[in-house]
Amino acid sequence: MTRLEAEAKASPLLSHALSYQRFGFSVIPVHGKEPTVRWKQYQRRRPIESDLRRLFASDDATGLAVICGNISGGLVVRDFDDEDAYLIWKLSHQELSEVLPTVKTARGYHVYFSNCHRRITKFDDGELRGAGYILVPPSIHPTSITYEWINPLPDGPLPEINPFAVGLGKRYRASRANRVVEEEEDTLTCACSVSLTEAISKTLPRRPGERNRRLLSFCRVLKSIPSVADLDVMALQPYVSEWFRRGKPFMSGEHDEDDNFAEFCYAWGRVRFSIGNGPFATVLRQLETTPLPGIAERFSSPSTKRLIHVCRELQCASGDAPFYISCSTASEVIGLGRMAVWRRLRLLVDCGIIEMVQPGTKTRAARYRYLSSDSASLDGGSSK
């Protein structure tokens, strides 16, 4: 039995710690995600073998962490907390993604490289970490998921790259402030310009009962991509299959992949609006050029004023017919939570500014009619 094999049998974590130390990393023990030692000193000096034997002698540790920065050979880690964000980056940088050391984490991926970046830059889909520490395999996350290498560490030094030149220095999941809501009856929120991979990730079912509605959303997003909009459905079958595979955990067992593709084919030939071209998208573009309704000035909250403005423009777009609006749609537009939006819509109904024509369901937004004229009082509006 070799010395390394003996170490592994006696203490698996110590064996891994020694391997990382030999690679050139500054290693510390952790319990969950918290260091079990005073770790700041190891930002200045790398633990030697005797240090690690002492540090890992206790049974408290559930994993290991490596300190980023100069002490670990210039280590920088792009922490993707969102799996879709990593996959979008990987699609655009296929060759590099197969070379850079990569770890599968509890929520996403860690991509390792060397650079002079010496701070933590936060994104809404993770971080670029050139400081602090990062958990390494085979650490166990507090959720009981074990970290594991997808691409192992190289035999030599870490690859030295500029993260900002290869897409690792930016975010891949749009924040609410930078999204554009583009829906009619649907509650999908999606950026106007997307790739096929983004179209899949943005429209996946998120809970049971959403498959049909989200599949229609998938069609609408694909229709908004110029290079895809006129394709035959058979050319899109691999992407529909991938959508089904990733969304299957949230679907009932009664539908198989062919059922799903059949429904996609039916929707593909009949979808009315692509993302960015429906009535709601038109209304949003008009808000900046149309005057605020006079009745809106009776309210103090900018959110309430904007909601009234949206309702009036939706009514104009619908003509004599009632308009659709969902709480989730309005939430994105006016910057309030869905329950707050529901209360504001109820307020507008109580004040006679709008009336509910048809309650919403799990798959369809509620329908309203705008009643108020600009001169209406809070005692009640006149029909428009």
Side-chain angles (χ1 to χ4, degrees):
M1 180 181 295
T2 66
R3 180 181 178 186
L4 193 60
E5 290 171 335
E7 290 170 348
K9 185 176 181 180
S11 173
L13 287 182
L14 174 60
S15 173
H16 287 284
L18 291 171
S19 294
Y20 288 128
Q21 189 261 353
R22 290 163 189 150
F23 183 79
F25 284 163
S26 183
V27 193
I28 55 172
V30 295
H31 182 87
K33 299 184 78 171
E34 298 299 322
T36 62
V37 298
R38 295 179 182 272
W39 66 278
K40 296 285 188 179
Q41 59 181 308
Y42 299 115
Q43 289 181 307
R44 299 183 298 274
R45 71 173 186 89
R46 191 180 307 140
I48 60 175
E49 184 172 322
S50 59
D51 293 326
L52 293 178
R53 293 184 183 281
R54 174 176 52 81
L55 295 175
F56 284 88
S58 170
D59 294 331
D60 293 340
T62 59
L64 319 89
V66 166
I67 297 174
C68 300
N70 294 332
I71 196 66
S72 293
L75 173 64
V76 179
V77 175
R78 176 52 159 101
D79 178 1
F80 286 99
D81 279 339
D82 184 286
E83 183 174 0
D84 288 337
Y86 169 76
L87 294 176
I88 293 168
W89 171 77
K90 180 178 179 180
L91 185 67
S92 302
H93 301 82
Q94 193 70 42
E95 292 185 7
L96 187 61
S97 70
E98 294 174 358
V99 172
L100 294 182
T102 304
V103 170
K104 181 70 181 73
T105 70
R107 292 188 293 176
Y109 294 85
H110 289 169
V111 180
Y112 288 56
F113 54 92
S114 175
N115 188 258
C116 59
H117 187 81
R118 292 295 171 263
R119 59 186 181 276
I120 298 175
T121 303
K122 293 183 178 293
F123 308 107
D124 49 8
D125 61 9
E127 299 172 328
L128 183 64
R129 301 185 65 89
Y133 60 86
I134 201 87
L135 267 62
V136 292
S139 298
I140 301 175
H141 190 268
T143 58
S144 300
I145 295 176
T146 302
Y147 287 63
E148 59 179 336
W149 287 104
I150 303 302
N151 297 338
L153 290 169
D155 293 333
L158 286 171
E160 185 172 350
I161 64 169
N162 178 354
F164 302 96
V166 296
L168 291 172
K170 67 177 185 178
R171 68 165 183 227
Y172 286 87
R173 185 175 64 191
S175 65
R176 283 191 169 191
N178 291 300
R179 290 175 178 170
V180 179
V181 179
E182 313 282 10
E183 66 178 288
E184 179 189 23
E185 304 169 11
D186 177 342
T187 58
L188 170 69
T189 300
C190 182
C192 288
S193 178
V194 296
S195 67
L196 280 167
T197 301
E198 289 175 301
I200 293 171
S201 63
K202 288 176 180 294
T203 59
L204 290 173
R206 294 167 292 189
R207 58 185 66 88
E210 285 193 339
R211 186 185 68 90
N212 289 342
R213 180 168 61 84
R214 302 296 282 181
L215 186 62
L216 177 60
S217 299
F218 183 42
C219 284
R220 293 182 61 220
V221 176
L222 292 180
K223 286 284 188 181
S224 71
I225 304 175
S227 61
V228 172
D230 296 324
L231 290 179
D232 181 84
V233 289
M234 290 306 296
L236 295 171
Q237 187 178 24
Y239 301 99
V240 182
S241 296
E242 178 66 10
W243 184 93
F244 180 80
R245 183 189 68 78
R246 292 175 59 185
K248 199 172 189 310
F250 300 102
M251 302 177 194
S252 64
E254 62 191 53
H255 297 287
D256 63 19
E257 186 173 331
D258 287 343
D259 288 330
N260 189 72
F261 187 53
E263 293 183 28
F264 174 86
C265 292
Y266 182 84
W268 185 248
R270 292 162 179 80
V271 66
R272 289 189 296 159
F273 300 107
S274 67
I275 291 296
N277 294 304
F280 204 90
T282 302
V283 164
L284 292 183
R285 289 192 288 265
Q286 290 174 343
L287 291 183
E288 303 304 321
T289 59
T290 56
L292 190 71
I295 192 66
E297 299 294 350
R298 300 292 299 272
F299 297 88
S300 61
S301 168
S303 297
T304 304
K305 293 179 181 181
R306 185 168 176 82
L307 181 59
I308 295 172
H309 200 175
V310 168
C311 289
R312 188 191 67 181
E313 294 306 315
L314 283 172
Q315 186 63 70
C316 290
S318 297
D320 294 332
F323 62 87
Y324 288 94
I325 187 170
S326 69
C327 290
S328 57
T329 299
S331 172
E332 298 284 355
V333 175
I334 69 174
L336 294 177
R338 282 181 289 183
M339 283 304 298
V341 168
W342 178 81
R343 289 192 293 269
R344 298 296 170 94
L345 287 170
R346 187 180 62 183
L347 170 65
L348 301 190
V349 170
D350 291 341
C351 291
I353 298 173
I354 62 175
E355 67 172 350
M356 179 181 284
V357 176
Q358 183 180 14
T361 67
K362 289 183 177 180
T363 59
R364 184 180 293 272
R367 300 183 80 183
Y368 294 88
R369 192 184 305 277
Y370 186 83
L371 302 176
S372 180
S373 66
D374 281 0
S375 60
S377 70
L378 292 179
D379 297 328
S382 58
S383 295
K384 182 170 179 174

